[in-house]
């Protein structure tokens, strides 16, 4: 399964949760009977395929240290994970000890009373905000309590063909920042040669990053907002690139064209690393997603969280052992991150193998760490889904941008009211 499909499932997780209408309550667990429980920490994850195998390798390494409670991971599709978590939490039976959930799902699960806080159990341990990327830690903080502990971070970055940059916009990548003005300059220079400057793949991710860079917000403080002038300007910018011929048309395989040397700049996910490593016919590099203002870098990302769902079957001893696992994981994600993900634990900056990976640029400097932006606004997953479904019609001129955004806003409002 491709990573993109998994993340789309994760982005829609909030929707499936609201529809499930769970009312399980949020009482703290009773402590359980540690004498009768199985000496095993059950972890549910929505990461499958090769990426899930990499996570399991790190877990196997942990289990080889002979902890009191070994970790067992059960992987399933993202949508299945959401439904199962809702079902078991409502029934109170078969609840996993921890689950790996998407960053935007934390607030939704919390609002439904499905999560238990970590605070009592991580107090005095190394599982604390200072040891993680600040933005990733704050994802799990709701109403002053910690309901999530960061795992890894996936980001919408940009891959670029170094040879084509040198040919069409020499020096543009020297500062590791590519602006939309530089994209247009490259497009004007390369168009006659049949080379695209910008590869437009996942619409929602492209929109999210530029929208944030232009100052866009996904909430007005009370409800989701997308029917606004910033959203209009964001889509107009992509329409300009499209109409000028600097960007691909709908349906073209941008990853294939990039691999064949026909695209200069390709915004894509860090999860595409394994595919990029197969390229042998030119030199490529990874940097920030294209920026609207080089002086104010904004880098859209998502940080999965370890969460505890409400259960009376989980003992205090097991929770403390789970925290020990999370402490160990801080400096031991060497297999997991080979998928292209970044760790959220700053301890991994001491790992030489990690710091040589191209995606590590997002954690290496203060500027990069401060640029990371993770959206958790309630209803944002609805906005993402609707933008993804309708953005090409607006780019191609098949739908009026302002009218389409009004329709999207109404759809999001309706979904929030369910």
């Amino acid at each position: 399964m491709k990573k993109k499909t998994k993340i789309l499932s994760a982005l829609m997780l909030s929707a499936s949760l609201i529809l499930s209408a769970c009312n399980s309550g949020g009482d703290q667990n009773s402590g359980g009977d540690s004498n009768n429980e199985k000496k095993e920490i059950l972890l549910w994850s929505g990461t499958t395929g090769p990426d899930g195998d990499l996570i399991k390798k790190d877990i196997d390494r942990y289990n080889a240290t002979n902890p009191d409670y070994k970790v067992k991971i059960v992987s399933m599709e993202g949508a299945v994970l959401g439904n199962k978590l809702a079902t078991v939490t409502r029934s109170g039976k078969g609840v996993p000890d921890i689950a790996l959930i998407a960053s935007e799902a934390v607030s939704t699960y919390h609002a439904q009373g499905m999560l238990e806080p970590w605070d009592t159990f991580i107090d005095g341990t190394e599982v604390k905000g200072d040891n993680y990327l600040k933005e990733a830690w704050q994802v799990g903080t709701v109403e002053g309590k910690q309901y999530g502990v960061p795992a890894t971070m996936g980001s919408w970055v940009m891959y670029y063909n170094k040879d084509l940059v040198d040919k069409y916009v020499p020096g543009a990548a020297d500062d590791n920042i590519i602006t939309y003005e530089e994209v247009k300059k490259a497009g004007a220079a390369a168009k006659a040669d049949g080379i695209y400057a910008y590869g437009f793949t996942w619409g929602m991710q492209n929109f999210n990053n530029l929208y944030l860079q232009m100052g866009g917000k996904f909430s007005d403080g009370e409800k989701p907002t997308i029917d606004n002038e910033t959203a209009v300007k964001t889509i107009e910018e992509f329409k300009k690139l499209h109409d000028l011929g600097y960007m691909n048309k709908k349906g073209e395989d941008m990853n294939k064209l990039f691999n064949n040397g026909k695209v200069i700049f390709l915004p894509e996910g860090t999860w595409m690393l394994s595919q990029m490593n197969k390229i042998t016919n030119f030199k490529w590099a990874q940097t920030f997603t294209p920026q609207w203002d080089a002086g104010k870098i904004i880098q859209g990302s998502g940080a999965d969280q370890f969460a505890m769902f409400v259960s009376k079957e989980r003992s205090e001893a097991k929770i403390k052992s789970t925290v020990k696992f999370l402490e160990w994981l801080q400096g031991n994600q060497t297999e997991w991150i080979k998928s292209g993900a970044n760790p959220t634990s700053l301890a991994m900056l001491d790992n030489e193998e990690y710091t040589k990976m191209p995606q590590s640029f997002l954690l290496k400097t203060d500027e990069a760490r401060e640029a990371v932006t993770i959206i958790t606004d309630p209803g944002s997953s609805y906005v993402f889904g609707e933008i993804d479904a309708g953005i090409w019609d607006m780019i191609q001129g098949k739908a009026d941008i302002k009218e389409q955004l009004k329709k999207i806003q109404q759809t999001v409002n309706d979904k929030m009211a369910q």
Side-chain angles (χ1 to χ4, degrees):
M1 172 177 171
K2 293 184 179 179
K3 184 73 172 181
K4 184 176 292 185
T5 303
K6 289 178 289 184
I7 292 187
L8 274 171
S9 295
L11 286 171
M12 299 309 295
L13 189 56
S14 297
S16 65
L17 290 171
I18 289 177
L19 290 173
S20 69
C22 300
N23 293 301
S24 58
D27 294 336
Q28 181 63 31
N29 69 75
S30 61
D33 185 353
S34 59
N35 293 322
N36 296 327
E37 72 178 2
K38 190 174 183 179
K39 296 285 187 175
E40 179 181 87
I41 297 167
L42 179 59
L43 164 62
W44 282 6
S45 168
T47 303
T48 59
D51 294 341
D53 293 340
L54 291 173
I55 297 174
K56 188 177 184 302
K57 286 183 178 181
D58 279 335
I59 290 175
D60 288 344
R61 289 173 56 230
Y62 174 73
N63 289 337
T65 67
N66 294 316
D68 291 337
Y69 289 72
K70 291 188 176 182
V71 178
K72 177 183 178 181
I73 183 170
V74 175
S75 299
M76 61 196 80
E77 302 295 338
V80 174
L81 175 65
N83 291 332
K84 289 195 69 173
L85 285 171
T87 299
V88 298
T89 306
R90 181 169 55 243
S91 69
K93 300 293 183 182
V95 181
D97 299 302
I98 47 174
L100 195 56
I101 63 175
S103 48
E104 68 275 5
V106 176
S107 59
T108 302
Y109 280 125
H110 170 263
Q112 295 180 336
M114 296 175 68
L115 299 182
E116 293 183 356
W118 288 99
D119 303 76
T120 300
F121 304 100
I122 62 176
D123 185 35
T125 73
E126 290 304 306
V127 180
K128 55 186 178 182
D130 290 345
N131 290 343
Y132 294 87
L133 181 69
K134 182 179 178 181
E135 185 80 356
W137 180 263
Q138 290 178 341
V139 166
T141 308
V142 184
E143 297 179 355
K145 291 186 177 182
Q146 201 65 30
Y147 289 92
V149 173
T152 55
M153 179 174 70
S155 302
W156 190 251
V157 290
M158 184 172 69
Y159 301 90
Y160 63 91
N161 185 317
K162 296 176 73 173
D163 298 340
L164 293 182
V165 168
D166 290 342
K167 180 177 181 179
Y168 294 112
V169 275
D174 290 353
D175 58 357
N176 294 318
I177 301 171
I178 302 296
T179 65
Y180 278 90
E181 285 304 312
E182 288 171 323
V183 170
K184 292 174 186 174
K185 183 178 179 181
K191 182 179 180 180
D193 294 333
I195 304 293
Y196 286 126
Y198 192 99
F200 190 95
T201 56
W202 195 355
M204 177 277 290
Q205 291 284 4
N206 280 290
F207 174 86
N208 175 53
N209 277 273
L210 182 54
Y211 179 64
L212 293 173
Q213 292 166 19
M214 287 183 165
K217 303 291 183 182
F218 285 100
S219 173
D220 62 6
E222 295 182 1
K223 62 182 184 302
T225 176
I226 198 62
D227 180 17
N228 57 64
E229 283 302 312
T230 305
V232 172
K233 291 178 181 178
T234 300
I235 296 171
E236 284 178 342
E237 187 65 21
F238 291 123
K239 191 174 188 307
K240 288 176 187 176
L241 291 175
H242 176 269
D243 292 348
L244 287 167
Y246 301 163
M247 187 183 97
N248 55 290
K249 298 177 178 63
K250 183 181 181 182
E252 293 184 284
D253 188 336
M254 282 299 96
N255 292 301
K256 183 177 180 179
L257 288 175
F258 182 77
N259 293 351
N260 291 333
K262 297 296 183 180
V263 181
I264 304 174
F265 302 113
L266 180 66
E268 255 294 356
T270 48
W271 50 88
M272 291 295 292
L273 180 60
S274 61
Q275 296 299 314
M276 296 299 164
N277 282 333
K278 296 177 182 178
I279 295 175
T280 59
N281 55 319
F282 61 84
K283 294 179 180 179
W284 61 270
Q286 182 184 131
T287 190
F288 299 103
T289 187
Q291 298 293 309
W292 187 248
D293 180 356
K296 187 180 179 181
I297 305 173
I298 293 178
Q299 179 62 62
S301 301
D304 287 349
Q305 304 277 312
F306 289 109
M308 282 194 299
F309 284 72
V310 172
S311 172
K312 294 183 178 181
E313 301 175 327
R314 188 186 303 121
S315 74
E316 184 173 319
K318 179 176 283 192
I319 299 174
K320 289 181 177 178
S321 291
T322 302
V323 172
K324 289 181 180 179
F325 165 62
L326 298 181
E327 286 182 312
W328 178 89
L329 199 61
Q330 288 177 343
N332 292 281
Q333 292 177 302
T334 49
E335 294 297 326
W336 195 334
I337 58 176
K338 288 179 181 178
S339 65
N342 270 298
T344 54
S345 166
L346 301 180
M348 284 298 293
L349 288 171
D350 296 327
N351 185 302
E352 186 176 354
E353 184 179 3
Y354 164 63
T355 57
K356 289 181 178 179
M357 295 180 181
Q359 74 269 29
S360 65
F361 79 93
L362 277 176
L363 257 69
K364 283 181 179 178
T365 67
D366 290 339
E367 177 186 46
R369 290 196 291 269
E370 291 171 3
V372 172
T373 304
I374 301 174
I375 299 301
T376 59
D377 297 295
S380 57
S381 61
Y382 296 135
V383 174
F384 290 157
E386 294 302 318
I387 287 291
D388 211 41
I391 194 168
W392 267 113
D393 282 346
M394 292 183 277
I395 288 174
Q396 294 175 307
K398 293 181 178 180
D400 180 80
I401 296 174
K402 291 184 178 180
E403 289 302 314
Q404 187 71 12
L405 288 173
K406 287 182 184 298
K407 292 179 181 178
I408 290 175
Q409 181 71 62
Q410 186 58 56
T411 300
V412 172
N413 292 345
D414 292 344
K415 289 184 176 182
M416 288 293 289
Q418 291 177 359

